[in-house]
Amino acid sequence: MNRGDKGALGSEGGVVDVIFTCEERCWDAVVDNLLDRGAPLNRPVHVFNIDIRDNHEEALVGGEAILELADALNEAAGQERSVYGAQGWMNGGGAARMSFDERVPDILAEWQPARRGRER
């Protein structure tokens, strides 16, 4: 990654697995854009909206919550790749990727109650 780069390695080609937005209308725009593109790569993309009020305190709490969810997703992805191997991961296929995609709703369900306890 280059200094000042706000993206992540691998996203230069516009290929991502997870997208976070912080406002419902942004989520709508992202989903509309993905639908307009169709599915040329035929791979799943998980789009999460974390509503954050526009003030410093809520931004800190929301940023921490997003980081916790991202860490949980990364941990699950690593676990699945170590169990099933990384073959097919980058093209959205393979056993590890399929198993990860199946775990995402459970990860989100575990994360949500913890976040609700910190909302102000």
Side-chain angles (χ1 to χ4, degrees):
M1 190 177 315
N2 296 327
R3 183 181 198 117
D5 183 34
K6 301 282 186 193
L9 293 175
S11 65
E12 295 84 5
V15 179
V16 295
D17 298 317
V18 176
I19 300 170
F20 293 99
T21 64
C22 298
E23 191 172 293
E24 188 174 353
R25 66 183 171 170
C26 294
W27 184 89
D28 290 339
V30 167
V31 171
D32 287 346
N33 182 276
L34 290 170
L35 292 172
D36 288 345
R37 291 181 187 200
L41 300 177
N42 195 29
R43 64 184 282 162
V45 177
H46 302 280
V47 184
F48 299 98
N49 183 60
I50 315 301
D51 280 323
I52 298 174
R53 289 188 205 114
D54 191 11
N55 64 58
H56 182 71
E57 184 178 346
E58 294 297 323
L60 289 174
V61 171
E64 289 174 4
I66 291 170
L67 183 57
E68 288 173 10
L69 180 55
D71 286 345
L73 292 167
N74 279 333
E75 182 179 338
Q79 290 169 351
E80 298 305 324
R81 284 192 302 266
S82 54
V83 169
Y84 296 104
Q87 184 176 13
W89 183 272
M90 292 307 291
N91 67 3
R97 178 55 195 257
M98 290 170 46
S99 184
F100 168 76
D101 290 333
E102 291 173 4
R103 287 181 63 185
V104 168
D106 294 332
I107 294 165
L108 186 60
E110 289 176 22
W111 171 84
Q112 283 177 322
R115 179 176 185 269
R116 283 192 188 107
R118 283 179 279 174
E119 289 177 344
R120 299 182 199 285

